[in-house]
Amino acid sequence: VQLQASGGGLVQPGGSLRLSCAASGNIIRINVMGWYRQVPGKQRELVATTTNGGSTDYADSVKGRFAISGDNAKNTVYLQMNSLKPEDTAVYYCNANLIPRGSGWRTYDYWGQGTQVTVSS
């Protein structure tokens, strides 16, 4: 199983970016996909998650500005980030909680490689 994230970059304050993350491999079911972020010297923190049923959860700091969505058919999750602030600058990691084929229906967490988001003028 692999998670491939894309869409990071440099944007001015107030701008927008859209992150994508696609899960590939022998997957029976994805339970939850989400985005976390980390800055040097700090712990990785939750940004947003979405379940295969469409329920979503957001960090307070991004509510009203970010929107997470998923495409179950493509095993892909998106994060639309609007009204970006300098404090949103971080490496963003995609996460998936899923059941791989051949795991005996056990769930595992997988992480993508991280994509840098920099908000600066």
Short mmCIF file of all heavy atoms in Angstrom, two decimals, residues 27-80:
data_model
loop_
_atom_site.label_atom_id
_atom_site.label_comp_id
_atom_site.label_asym_id
_atom_site.label_seq_id
_atom_site.Cartn_x
_atom_site.Cartn_y
_atom_site.Cartn_z
N ILE A 27 -6.05 -3.08 -1.34
CA ILE A 27 -6.82 -2.51 -0.24
C ILE A 27 -8.22 -3.09 -0.25
O ILE A 27 -8.89 -3.06 -1.28
CB ILE A 27 -6.89 -0.97 -0.36
CG1 ILE A 27 -5.48 -0.38 -0.33
CG2 ILE A 27 -7.76 -0.39 0.75
CD1 ILE A 27 -5.44 1.10 -0.72
N ILE A 28 -8.62 -3.58 0.92
CA ILE A 28 -10.00 -4.06 1.03
C ILE A 28 -10.94 -2.89 1.30
O ILE A 28 -11.97 -2.73 0.65
CB ILE A 28 -10.14 -5.10 2.15
CG1 ILE A 28 -9.39 -6.38 1.76
CG2 ILE A 28 -11.61 -5.40 2.44
CD1 ILE A 28 -9.41 -7.45 2.84
N ARG A 29 -10.55 -2.08 2.26
CA ARG A 29 -11.41 -0.95 2.62
C ARG A 29 -10.59 0.14 3.30
O ARG A 29 -9.72 -0.15 4.11
CB ARG A 29 -12.53 -1.39 3.57
CG ARG A 29 -13.56 -0.28 3.88
CD ARG A 29 -14.65 -0.78 4.81
NE ARG A 29 -14.14 -0.96 6.16
CZ ARG A 29 -14.54 -1.95 6.95
NH1 ARG A 29 -15.40 -2.84 6.53
NH2 ARG A 29 -14.05 -2.04 8.18
N ILE A 30 -10.87 1.38 2.96
CA ILE A 30 -10.31 2.54 3.66
C ILE A 30 -11.35 3.04 4.64
O ILE A 30 -12.47 3.36 4.25
CB ILE A 30 -9.89 3.64 2.69
CG1 ILE A 30 -8.78 3.15 1.76
CG2 ILE A 30 -9.43 4.88 3.45
CD1 ILE A 30 -8.36 4.15 0.71
N ASN A 31 -10.97 3.13 5.90
CA ASN A 31 -11.90 3.58 6.93
C ASN A 31 -11.89 5.10 7.07
O ASN A 31 -12.92 5.75 7.12
CB ASN A 31 -11.57 2.95 8.27
CG ASN A 31 -11.70 1.46 8.25
OD1 ASN A 31 -12.67 0.91 7.72
ND2 ASN A 31 -10.72 0.76 8.82
N VAL A 32 -10.68 5.64 7.15
CA VAL A 32 -10.51 7.08 7.36
C VAL A 32 -9.31 7.55 6.56
O VAL A 32 -8.28 6.85 6.52
CB VAL A 32 -10.27 7.43 8.84
CG1 VAL A 32 -10.18 8.95 9.04
CG2 VAL A 32 -11.36 6.85 9.73
N MET A 33 -9.43 8.70 5.94
CA MET A 33 -8.27 9.37 5.34
C MET A 33 -8.22 10.78 5.88
O MET A 33 -9.26 11.38 6.19
CB MET A 33 -8.34 9.39 3.82
CG MET A 33 -8.17 8.04 3.18
SD MET A 33 -7.96 8.11 1.39
CE MET A 33 -6.22 8.56 1.26
N GLY A 34 -7.01 11.29 5.99
CA GLY A 34 -6.91 12.62 6.54
C GLY A 34 -5.57 13.27 6.27
O GLY A 34 -4.69 12.70 5.63
N TRP A 35 -5.45 14.48 6.78
CA TRP A 35 -4.25 15.28 6.63
C TRP A 35 -3.76 15.74 8.00
O TRP A 35 -4.56 16.14 8.84
CB TRP A 35 -4.51 16.50 5.75
CG TRP A 35 -4.79 16.15 4.33
CD1 TRP A 35 -6.00 15.95 3.75
CD2 TRP A 35 -3.82 15.95 3.30
NE1 TRP A 35 -5.86 15.63 2.43
CE2 TRP A 35 -4.52 15.62 2.12
CE3 TRP A 35 -2.42 16.02 3.25
CZ2 TRP A 35 -3.86 15.37 0.91
CZ3 TRP A 35 -1.78 15.76 2.06
CH2 TRP A 35 -2.50 15.44 0.91
N TYR A 36 -2.46 15.66 8.17
CA TYR A 36 -1.79 16.15 9.36
C TYR A 36 -0.69 17.09 8.89
O TYR A 36 -0.30 17.07 7.72
CB TYR A 36 -1.19 14.99 10.16
CG TYR A 36 -2.23 14.08 10.78
CD1 TYR A 36 -2.98 13.21 9.98
CD2 TYR A 36 -2.47 14.08 12.14
CE1 TYR A 36 -3.95 12.38 10.54
CE2 TYR A 36 -3.42 13.25 12.72
CZ TYR A 36 -4.15 12.41 11.90
OH TYR A 36 -5.10 11.59 12.46
N ARG A 37 -0.19 17.91 9.80
CA ARG A 37 0.90 18.79 9.43
C ARG A 37 1.90 18.89 10.58
O ARG A 37 1.56 18.67 11.74
CB ARG A 37 0.39 20.18 9.04
CG ARG A 37 -0.26 20.97 10.16
CD ARG A 37 -0.91 22.24 9.60
NE ARG A 37 -1.52 23.04 10.66
CZ ARG A 37 -2.26 24.12 10.43
NH1 ARG A 37 -2.48 24.53 9.18
NH2 ARG A 37 -2.78 24.79 11.44
N GLN A 38 3.13 19.25 10.19
CA GLN A 38 4.19 19.32 11.17
C GLN A 38 5.17 20.42 10.80
O GLN A 38 5.55 20.57 9.63
CB GLN A 38 4.92 17.99 11.26
CG GLN A 38 5.92 17.90 12.39
CD GLN A 38 6.43 16.48 12.57
OE1 GLN A 38 6.39 15.66 11.65
NE2 GLN A 38 6.90 16.16 13.77
N VAL A 39 5.55 21.19 11.81
CA VAL A 39 6.61 22.19 11.64
C VAL A 39 7.79 21.75 12.48
O VAL A 39 7.62 21.02 13.47
CB VAL A 39 6.14 23.60 12.04
CG1 VAL A 39 5.00 24.05 11.15
CG2 VAL A 39 5.72 23.64 13.50
N PRO A 40 8.99 22.17 12.12
CA PRO A 40 10.18 21.73 12.88
C PRO A 40 10.06 22.07 14.36
O PRO A 40 9.66 23.18 14.73
CB PRO A 40 11.31 22.53 12.22
CG PRO A 40 10.84 22.78 10.84
CD PRO A 40 9.35 22.98 10.96
N GLY A 41 10.38 21.08 15.19
CA GLY A 41 10.36 21.29 16.63
C GLY A 41 9.01 21.09 17.29
O GLY A 41 8.90 21.22 18.51
N LYS A 42 8.00 20.78 16.48
CA LYS A 42 6.67 20.58 17.04
C LYS A 42 6.14 19.21 16.65
O LYS A 42 6.59 18.61 15.67
CB LYS A 42 5.71 21.67 16.58
CG LYS A 42 6.01 23.05 17.15
CD LYS A 42 4.88 24.02 16.83
CE LYS A 42 5.11 25.37 17.49
NZ LYS A 42 3.99 26.30 17.23
N GLN A 43 5.14 18.75 17.41
CA GLN A 43 4.53 17.48 17.10
C GLN A 43 3.63 17.60 15.87
O GLN A 43 3.10 18.67 15.57
CB GLN A 43 3.70 16.99 18.30
CG GLN A 43 4.52 16.50 19.47
CD GLN A 43 3.67 15.84 20.54
OE1 GLN A 43 2.51 16.19 20.72
NE2 GLN A 43 4.24 14.89 21.25
N ARG A 44 3.48 16.48 15.21
CA ARG A 44 2.55 16.43 14.09
C ARG A 44 1.13 16.63 14.63
O ARG A 44 0.77 16.05 15.66
CB ARG A 44 2.67 15.09 13.37
CG ARG A 44 1.97 15.00 12.04
CD ARG A 44 2.35 13.71 11.31
NE ARG A 44 3.77 13.66 11.00
CZ ARG A 44 4.31 12.68 10.28
NH1 ARG A 44 3.55 11.70 9.80
NH2 ARG A 44 5.61 12.69 10.03
N GLU A 45 0.34 17.43 13.94
CA GLU A 45 -1.01 17.73 14.42
C GLU A 45 -2.06 17.44 13.35
O GLU A 45 -1.79 17.54 12.14
CB GLU A 45 -1.13 19.20 14.84
CG GLU A 45 -0.94 20.21 13.73
CD GLU A 45 -1.20 21.63 14.18
OE1 GLU A 45 -1.37 21.88 15.38
OE2 GLU A 45 -1.24 22.52 13.30
N LEU A 46 -3.23 17.10 13.83
CA LEU A 46 -4.35 16.82 12.94
C LEU A 46 -4.79 18.11 12.25
O LEU A 46 -4.89 19.17 12.89
CB LEU A 46 -5.53 16.26 13.74
CG LEU A 46 -6.85 16.18 13.02
CD1 LEU A 46 -6.85 15.06 12.02
CD2 LEU A 46 -8.00 16.00 14.02
N VAL A 47 -5.07 17.99 10.95
CA VAL A 47 -5.66 19.10 10.21
C VAL A 47 -7.13 18.79 9.92
O VAL A 47 -8.03 19.54 10.27
CB VAL A 47 -4.92 19.37 8.89
CG1 VAL A 47 -5.60 20.48 8.11
CG2 VAL A 47 -3.46 19.73 9.16
N ALA A 48 -7.36 17.65 9.27
CA ALA A 48 -8.73 17.26 8.92
C ALA A 48 -8.77 15.79 8.57
O ALA A 48 -7.77 15.24 8.07
CB ALA A 48 -9.24 18.09 7.75
N THR A 49 -9.92 15.16 8.83
CA THR A 49 -10.11 13.78 8.45
C THR A 49 -11.49 13.59 7.84
O THR A 49 -12.41 14.39 8.09
CB THR A 49 -9.98 12.81 9.64
OG1 THR A 49 -10.98 13.16 10.62
CG2 THR A 49 -8.60 12.87 10.27
N THR A 50 -11.63 12.53 7.06
CA THR A 50 -12.93 12.16 6.52
C THR A 50 -13.05 10.66 6.51
O THR A 50 -12.08 9.95 6.22
CB THR A 50 -13.12 12.74 5.09
OG1 THR A 50 -14.44 12.39 4.63
CG2 THR A 50 -12.09 12.20 4.11
N THR A 51 -14.24 10.17 6.84
CA THR A 51 -14.48 8.73 6.85
C THR A 51 -15.07 8.29 5.51
O THR A 51 -15.49 9.12 4.69
CB THR A 51 -15.46 8.35 7.96
OG1 THR A 51 -16.76 8.85 7.61
CG2 THR A 51 -15.03 8.92 9.29
N ASN A 52 -15.10 6.97 5.30
CA ASN A 52 -15.68 6.49 4.04
C ASN A 52 -17.18 6.75 3.99
O ASN A 52 -17.78 6.65 2.92
CB ASN A 52 -15.37 5.02 3.81
CG ASN A 52 -15.91 4.11 4.89
OD1 ASN A 52 -16.68 4.53 5.74
ND2 ASN A 52 -15.51 2.85 4.86
N GLY A 53 -17.77 7.10 5.11
CA GLY A 53 -19.19 7.48 5.13
C GLY A 53 -19.41 8.96 4.93
O GLY A 53 -20.56 9.42 4.86
N GLY A 54 -18.32 9.72 4.85
CA GLY A 54 -18.44 11.14 4.58
C GLY A 54 -18.39 12.06 5.80
O GLY A 54 -18.47 13.28 5.67
N SER A 55 -18.23 11.48 7.00
CA SER A 55 -18.10 12.33 8.18
C SER A 55 -16.74 13.02 8.16
O SER A 55 -15.74 12.42 7.76
CB SER A 55 -18.23 11.49 9.45
OG SER A 55 -19.50 10.90 9.52
N THR A 56 -16.72 14.26 8.62
CA THR A 56 -15.48 15.03 8.61
C THR A 56 -15.19 15.61 9.99
O THR A 56 -16.08 15.78 10.82
CB THR A 56 -15.54 16.18 7.59
OG1 THR A 56 -16.65 17.03 7.92
CG2 THR A 56 -15.71 15.66 6.18
N ASP A 57 -13.91 15.90 10.20
CA ASP A 57 -13.47 16.51 11.44
C ASP A 57 -12.34 17.47 11.11
O ASP A 57 -11.52 17.17 10.23
CB ASP A 57 -13.00 15.45 12.43
CG ASP A 57 -12.72 16.01 13.80
OD1 ASP A 57 -13.37 17.01 14.19
OD2 ASP A 57 -11.85 15.46 14.50
N TYR A 58 -12.28 18.59 11.80
CA TYR A 58 -11.29 19.62 11.51
C TYR A 58 -10.65 20.13 12.79
O TYR A 58 -11.29 20.22 13.83
CB TYR A 58 -11.92 20.82 10.80
CG TYR A 58 -12.47 20.52 9.42
CD1 TYR A 58 -13.79 20.14 9.25
CD2 TYR A 58 -11.66 20.64 8.30
CE1 TYR A 58 -14.30 19.88 8.00
CE2 TYR A 58 -12.15 20.38 7.04
CZ TYR A 58 -13.48 19.99 6.89
OH TYR A 58 -13.97 19.73 5.64
N ALA A 59 -9.40 20.52 12.67
CA ALA A 59 -8.77 21.27 13.74
C ALA A 59 -9.44 22.63 13.84
O ALA A 59 -9.85 23.21 12.81
CB ALA A 59 -7.28 21.44 13.47
N ASP A 60 -9.56 23.16 15.04
CA ASP A 60 -10.21 24.45 15.22
C ASP A 60 -9.54 25.55 14.39
O ASP A 60 -10.20 26.46 13.89
CB ASP A 60 -10.20 24.85 16.70
CG ASP A 60 -11.17 24.01 17.53
OD1 ASP A 60 -12.07 23.38 16.93
OD2 ASP A 60 -11.02 24.00 18.76
N SER A 61 -8.25 25.44 14.25
CA SER A 61 -7.48 26.49 13.56
C SER A 61 -7.78 26.58 12.07
O SER A 61 -7.43 27.59 11.43
CB SER A 61 -5.98 26.26 13.77
OG SER A 61 -5.60 25.00 13.26
N VAL A 62 -8.39 25.54 11.50
CA VAL A 62 -8.66 25.56 10.05
C VAL A 62 -10.14 25.55 9.71
O VAL A 62 -10.51 25.65 8.53
CB VAL A 62 -7.96 24.38 9.34
CG1 VAL A 62 -6.47 24.35 9.67
CG2 VAL A 62 -8.62 23.05 9.67
N LYS A 63 -10.98 25.44 10.72
CA LYS A 63 -12.43 25.41 10.45
C LYS A 63 -12.87 26.68 9.72
O LYS A 63 -12.48 27.79 10.09
CB LYS A 63 -13.20 25.27 11.77
CG LYS A 63 -13.17 23.87 12.35
CD LYS A 63 -13.95 23.80 13.65
CE LYS A 63 -13.92 22.40 14.23
NZ LYS A 63 -14.62 22.30 15.54
N GLY A 64 -13.69 26.48 8.71
CA GLY A 64 -14.16 27.61 7.91
C GLY A 64 -13.23 28.04 6.79
O GLY A 64 -13.61 28.84 5.94
N ARG A 65 -12.01 27.51 6.81
CA ARG A 65 -11.04 27.87 5.76
C ARG A 65 -10.65 26.66 4.90
O ARG A 65 -10.39 26.80 3.71
CB ARG A 65 -9.77 28.46 6.38
CG ARG A 65 -10.01 29.72 7.20
CD ARG A 65 -8.68 30.35 7.63
NE ARG A 65 -7.90 29.48 8.49
CZ ARG A 65 -6.66 29.06 8.22
NH1 ARG A 65 -6.06 29.43 7.09
NH2 ARG A 65 -6.00 28.29 9.08
N PHE A 66 -10.57 25.50 5.52
CA PHE A 66 -10.17 24.29 4.81
C PHE A 66 -11.38 23.38 4.63
O PHE A 66 -12.29 23.36 5.48
CB PHE A 66 -9.12 23.51 5.60
CG PHE A 66 -7.77 24.18 5.69
CD1 PHE A 66 -7.56 25.48 5.28
CD2 PHE A 66 -6.68 23.48 6.19
CE1 PHE A 66 -6.32 26.08 5.36
CE2 PHE A 66 -5.43 24.06 6.28
CZ PHE A 66 -5.26 25.37 5.87
N ALA A 67 -11.36 22.61 3.56
CA ALA A 67 -12.43 21.64 3.32
C ALA A 67 -11.82 20.33 2.83
O ALA A 67 -11.05 20.33 1.85
CB ALA A 67 -13.42 22.17 2.30
N ILE A 68 -12.15 19.24 3.50
CA ILE A 68 -11.66 17.92 3.11
C ILE A 68 -12.77 17.17 2.40
O ILE A 68 -13.95 17.29 2.77
CB ILE A 68 -11.14 17.14 4.33
CG1 ILE A 68 -10.41 15.88 3.89
CG2 ILE A 68 -12.27 16.80 5.30
CD1 ILE A 68 -9.63 15.19 5.00
N SER A 69 -12.40 16.44 1.38
CA SER A 69 -13.37 15.62 0.65
C SER A 69 -12.69 14.36 0.17
O SER A 69 -11.46 14.33 0.00
CB SER A 69 -13.97 16.40 -0.51
OG SER A 69 -12.96 16.79 -1.43
N GLY A 70 -13.49 13.34 -0.08
CA GLY A 70 -12.93 12.08 -0.52
C GLY A 70 -13.66 11.53 -1.72
O GLY A 70 -14.84 11.82 -1.93
N ASP A 71 -12.93 10.77 -2.51
CA ASP A 71 -13.51 10.04 -3.65
C ASP A 71 -13.25 8.56 -3.38
O ASP A 71 -12.14 8.08 -3.61
CB ASP A 71 -12.85 10.51 -4.94
CG ASP A 71 -13.50 9.88 -6.17
OD1 ASP A 71 -14.06 8.77 -6.06
OD2 ASP A 71 -13.43 10.50 -7.25
N ASN A 72 -14.27 7.87 -2.88
CA ASN A 72 -14.09 6.47 -2.50
C ASN A 72 -13.71 5.60 -3.69
O ASN A 72 -12.92 4.66 -3.55
CB ASN A 72 -15.36 5.93 -1.85
CG ASN A 72 -15.64 6.56 -0.49
OD1 ASN A 72 -14.74 7.08 0.16
ND2 ASN A 72 -16.89 6.52 -0.07
N ALA A 73 -14.24 5.91 -4.85
CA ALA A 73 -13.95 5.09 -6.03
C ALA A 73 -12.49 5.18 -6.44
O ALA A 73 -11.93 4.25 -7.01
CB ALA A 73 -14.85 5.53 -7.18
N LYS A 74 -11.87 6.33 -6.15
CA LYS A 74 -10.47 6.54 -6.52
C LYS A 74 -9.52 6.40 -5.34
O LYS A 74 -8.31 6.60 -5.50
CB LYS A 74 -10.30 7.94 -7.13
CG LYS A 74 -11.06 8.13 -8.44
CD LYS A 74 -10.80 9.54 -9.00
CE LYS A 74 -11.52 9.74 -10.30
NZ LYS A 74 -11.29 11.10 -10.86
N ASN A 75 -10.06 6.08 -4.16
CA ASN A 75 -9.21 6.00 -2.95
C ASN A 75 -8.38 7.26 -2.78
O ASN A 75 -7.18 7.20 -2.47
CB ASN A 75 -8.31 4.77 -2.98
CG ASN A 75 -9.07 3.48 -2.78
OD1 ASN A 75 -10.19 3.48 -2.28
ND2 ASN A 75 -8.47 2.37 -3.17
N THR A 76 -9.01 8.39 -2.99
CA THR A 76 -8.31 9.67 -2.98
C THR A 76 -8.99 10.64 -2.02
O THR A 76 -10.22 10.65 -1.92
CB THR A 76 -8.28 10.26 -4.39
OG1 THR A 76 -7.57 9.37 -5.25
CG2 THR A 76 -7.57 11.61 -4.42
N VAL A 77 -8.17 11.44 -1.36
CA VAL A 77 -8.68 12.48 -0.49
C VAL A 77 -8.08 13.81 -0.92
O VAL A 77 -6.93 13.87 -1.40
CB VAL A 77 -8.34 12.18 0.99
CG1 VAL A 77 -6.85 12.20 1.26
CG2 VAL A 77 -9.07 13.13 1.92
N TYR A 78 -8.88 14.85 -0.78
CA TYR A 78 -8.46 16.20 -1.18
C TYR A 78 -8.57 17.13 0.02
O TYR A 78 -9.43 16.95 0.89
CB TYR A 78 -9.34 16.73 -2.30
CG TYR A 78 -9.43 15.81 -3.49
CD1 TYR A 78 -10.50 14.91 -3.62
CD2 TYR A 78 -8.47 15.82 -4.49
CE1 TYR A 78 -10.59 14.06 -4.70
CE2 TYR A 78 -8.55 14.97 -5.57
CZ TYR A 78 -9.61 14.09 -5.69
OH TYR A 78 -9.69 13.24 -6.76
N LEU A 79 -7.72 18.12 0.03
CA LEU A 79 -7.81 19.17 1.05
C LEU A 79 -7.76 20.51 0.33
O LEU A 79 -6.70 20.90 -0.19
CB LEU A 79 -6.67 19.06 2.06
CG LEU A 79 -6.75 20.06 3.23
CD1 LEU A 79 -7.94 19.74 4.13
CD2 LEU A 79 -5.45 20.05 4.04
N GLN A 80 -8.88 21.19 0.30
CA GLN A 80 -8.94 22.53 -0.27
C GLN A 80 -8.64 23.53 0.84
O GLN A 80 -9.34 23.58 1.84
CB GLN A 80 -10.32 22.80 -0.86
CG GLN A 80 -10.48 24.19 -1.44
CD GLN A 80 -9.61 24.42 -2.66
OE1 GLN A 80 -9.50 23.55 -3.53
NE2 GLN A 80 -8.99 25.59 -2.74
#
